[in-house]
Amino acid sequence: MATKGAKMPSAADVLRIAEAEVGYSRWDDPLPGTKYGRWYAQITGSPYFGESGVPYCAMFASWVLAQANVQCEGFPRAVAIDPRDGFNRMVQPANLQPGDPLGFDWDGDHKGDHIGITIARQGGTLLIDTYEGNTGGGRVLRCERNIEQVTCGVRPYYDDATSPAKDAGKLDVDGAGGPNTITLLQQQVGTKDDGVLSGQLYSEDRYRRNIWSVDHVDEGSGSDVVYALQCRFRAKGIYHGNMDRCWGYNFTDAMQRYLKELGYYTGGFDHDFAQHSVKALQMALNDGAMAA
């Protein structure tokens, strides 16, 4: 809780901070990558996000929220949002309010392609004003978008009375598999804890869609923590895929079966590591149940 009399962070703070970033260009930045990517690389411990060429729209929104000291379900993050994330505080496009992060779908496939921050809906029109990073040729801009391109939004915790309680050292059980979730998994399994699943295959993203702290550098080289769990699951007779260090179809099936065996997962074996599966993993991690 905030100190009595202290000003709570607000949507106005988020918009003020975002407005101050308008005009930033990745091409004018004298350092590698972007200021938002370098920040994200620092908090996750993964240098990949600070490298040149990494899309930064989600990291821009995450940076703005962090600078305003605002909590938001699923943030910080490095990828777009869409309804498949299943956030508890997800809002429909028609209900967006100033300061809400929002996702866009450019190609009509119902998957998130981009992130911005809501400024305001233009009354009586289909237009919405936003702040966005990594747009207009790699810049931060104030934009005007069509609401029909918006997938969903997420309502931050602007009121401290509704902010989630946070036990020291515990994950928020929010179904968003970000850096904190991956770091704790790596720590319990006993591998390098950099908060990122490295070397993953683009073709298998759909099997772990709520695990978003992933990079594809050296695609197919894989992750130590995935390999360690593949070994564990194979020894238990629940993993039947390749020992390829990559989280894909067979690995998701094995992870769901393992979490059900531990008593955390109650869904079916659908090869889709979405919100329900990630929540089960987060609960298991909070109890230390993934330790070898």
Side-chain angles (χ1 to χ4, degrees):
M1 295 290 289
T3 303
K4 186 176 181 180
K7 177 181 179 294
M8 290 304 301
S10 67
D13 295 322
V14 167
L15 296 181
R16 172 180 52 79
I17 291 167
E19 170 66 28
E21 296 302 303
V22 170
Y24 171 88
S25 171
R26 70 186 310 156
W27 307 113
D28 296 334
D29 194 317
L31 299 176
T34 66
K35 64 184 288 187
Y36 316 106
R38 294 191 296 271
W39 166 80
Y40 195 79
Q42 183 176 26
I43 67 168
T44 61
S46 176
Y48 163 75
F49 296 107
E51 295 176 359
S52 297
V54 179
Y56 72 87
C57 61
M59 295 186 289
F60 163 73
S62 299
W63 181 90
V64 170
L65 292 168
Q67 298 305 302
N69 197 29
V70 169
Q71 294 184 66
C72 186
E73 186 180 9
F75 287 79
R77 65 191 295 118
V79 296
I81 59 173
D82 63 48
R84 298 174 303 164
D85 291 316
F87 296 125
N88 295 319
R89 293 173 64 85
M90 184 170 285
V91 294
Q92 296 302 310
N95 298 324
L96 286 165
Q97 295 181 6
D100 289 346
L102 74 167
F104 296 97
D105 171 17
W106 301 140
D107 53 11
D109 64 357
H110 306 293
K111 298 178 182 179
D113 297 314
H114 185 60
I115 281 185
I117 297 173
T118 305
I119 300 174
R121 179 81 177 268
Q122 295 185 17
T125 74
L126 291 176
L127 300 177
I128 188 167
D129 295 318
T130 61
Y131 292 119
E132 299 170 26
N134 199 40
T135 192
R139 294 178 291 166
V140 175
L141 296 176
R142 178 172 178 143
C143 300
E144 183 182 87
R145 301 293 191 185
N146 189 310
I147 195 74
E148 294 181 342
Q149 295 177 303
V150 177
T151 62
C152 65
V154 186
R155 182 66 39 76
Y157 292 97
Y158 289 122
D159 179 357
D160 66 324
T162 63
S163 295
K166 180 72 172 178
D167 296 328
K170 298 289 186 179
L171 298 167
D172 289 325
V173 180
D174 58 8
N180 293 336
T181 298
I182 300 304
T183 295
L184 192 53
L185 177 63
Q186 291 167 328
Q187 289 173 348
Q188 290 189 19
V189 173
T191 62
K192 178 183 177 182
D193 57 342
D194 60 2
V196 179
L197 294 182
S198 57
Q200 298 301 295
L201 296 167
Y202 281 107
S203 61
E204 295 185 333
D205 284 352
R206 63 188 183 276
Y207 303 124
R208 45 169 165 72
R209 58 187 170 97
N210 274 46
I211 297 290
W212 47 262
S213 189
V214 170
D215 77 46
H216 302 90
V217 176
D218 296 326
E219 185 183 6
S221 60
S223 166
D224 289 346
V225 69
V226 173
Y227 180 73
L229 287 170
Q230 285 174 336
C231 293
R232 182 188 302 184
F233 296 161
R234 174 157 288 187
K236 292 179 65 64
I238 59 173
Y239 180 68
H240 307 289
N242 296 325
M243 304 299 288
D244 58 2
R245 310 169 68 88
C246 292
W247 186 320
Y249 179 92
N250 289 300
F251 186 84
T252 285
D253 179 77
M255 180 68 90
Q256 289 177 331
R257 291 178 186 278
Y258 187 66
L259 290 168
K260 178 161 281 193
E261 185 178 298
L262 293 176
Y264 294 97
Y265 181 62
T266 59
F269 306 127
D270 57 5
H271 308 97
D272 182 7
F273 215 77
Q275 185 195 33
H276 187 54
S277 299
V278 176
K279 283 185 173 181
L281 174 60
Q282 290 169 329
M283 288 188 288
L285 290 167
N286 281 341
D287 291 342
M290 294 301 293

